[in-house]
Amino acid sequence: MSIDAHLHLWNTERLRYEWLQRPENAAINRTFGFEDFRSLAAAAGVDRAVLVQADDSAADTEAMFEVAAVHPEIAGLVAWVPLDRPDEAAAQLTRLQARPGFAGIRNLIHDQPDPDWLLRPAVGEGLALLERRGIPFDQLPPAGREAVLGGTATRSYALGTPAGDTSRPGRQ
């Protein structure tokens, strides 16, 4: 069995994805749904996928669960919670952990205006929530700021951390 461990789907008719508005993303600024994945996956011999959030919003997370509910090829979901608002994150994590397929959390930290967003105290509280609950954190720091991950490591978080989008253009 072959699993795509980092799949993004998005519906531009349902949600606005700010990162898609950038000129360099014009070629993909359209809905990319499960049927798009299915045809590409079949050609590549991929059987299942882990669906990963494409927007920092509860609406995007809900859209992923809707896709997973009707497509058993989805092996898990990496959702979003507002790590910089720990109380809200805690409530959302409780709900997410009760849902089938929930596999981890991701925030679009590479799109944050503050390159040190991950080092903010409130975000640290959010990361500590993930640690206490044993929830993996999928992270991609801003380009050129990979050392920020070392800053979080020095705080002693025992987070499982998938590699993230290291294969996207401009990343080495």
Side-chain angles (χ1 to χ4, degrees):
M1 175 174 293
S2 178
I3 299 175
D4 179 336
H6 197 107
L7 171 67
H8 297 292
L9 301 177
W10 54 86
N11 183 336
T12 57
E13 295 169 16
R14 181 174 177 175
L15 296 169
R16 179 178 170 86
Y17 302 86
E18 290 303 320
W19 58 271
L20 276 176
Q21 309 313 308
R22 288 181 268 203
E24 65 269 22
N25 292 327
I28 60 170
N29 188 357
R30 64 166 183 85
T31 294
F32 187 86
F34 188 81
E35 293 307 318
D36 295 297
F37 164 72
R38 179 179 278 156
S39 63
L40 294 169
V46 173
D47 305 298
R48 300 188 75 199
V50 176
L51 194 51
V52 177
Q53 60 84 246
D55 188 52
D56 282 352
S57 70
D60 183 63
T61 294
E62 189 56 37
M64 289 191 310
F65 276 104
E66 290 171 12
V67 169
V70 295
H71 296 289
E73 299 92 338
I74 301 299
L77 292 101
V78 176
W80 170 85
V81 297
L83 290 175
D84 57 344
R85 298 188 306 271
D87 291 340
E88 189 179 334
Q92 287 186 27
L93 286 170
T94 298
R95 289 189 296 274
L96 288 169
Q97 287 184 286
R99 295 184 83 169
F102 173 67
I105 291 297
R106 178 177 187 257
N107 278 221
L108 298 177
I109 62 175
H110 56 283
D111 283 344
Q112 292 291 334
D114 176 4
D116 291 326
W117 181 85
L118 198 58
L119 300 176
R120 290 180 177 182
V123 176
E125 291 178 44
L127 292 170
L129 284 170
L130 300 182
E131 178 186 29
R132 286 192 299 273
R133 295 175 186 224
I135 299 171
F137 180 53
D138 185 338
Q139 54 188 315
L140 176 67
R145 296 288 294 147
E146 290 79 5
V148 76
L149 298 181
T152 59
T154 61
R155 292 180 178 180
S156 301
Y157 300 121
L159 298 169
T161 54
D165 287 324
T166 55
S167 63
R168 72 171 209 209
R171 306 284 306 179
Q172 299 301 327

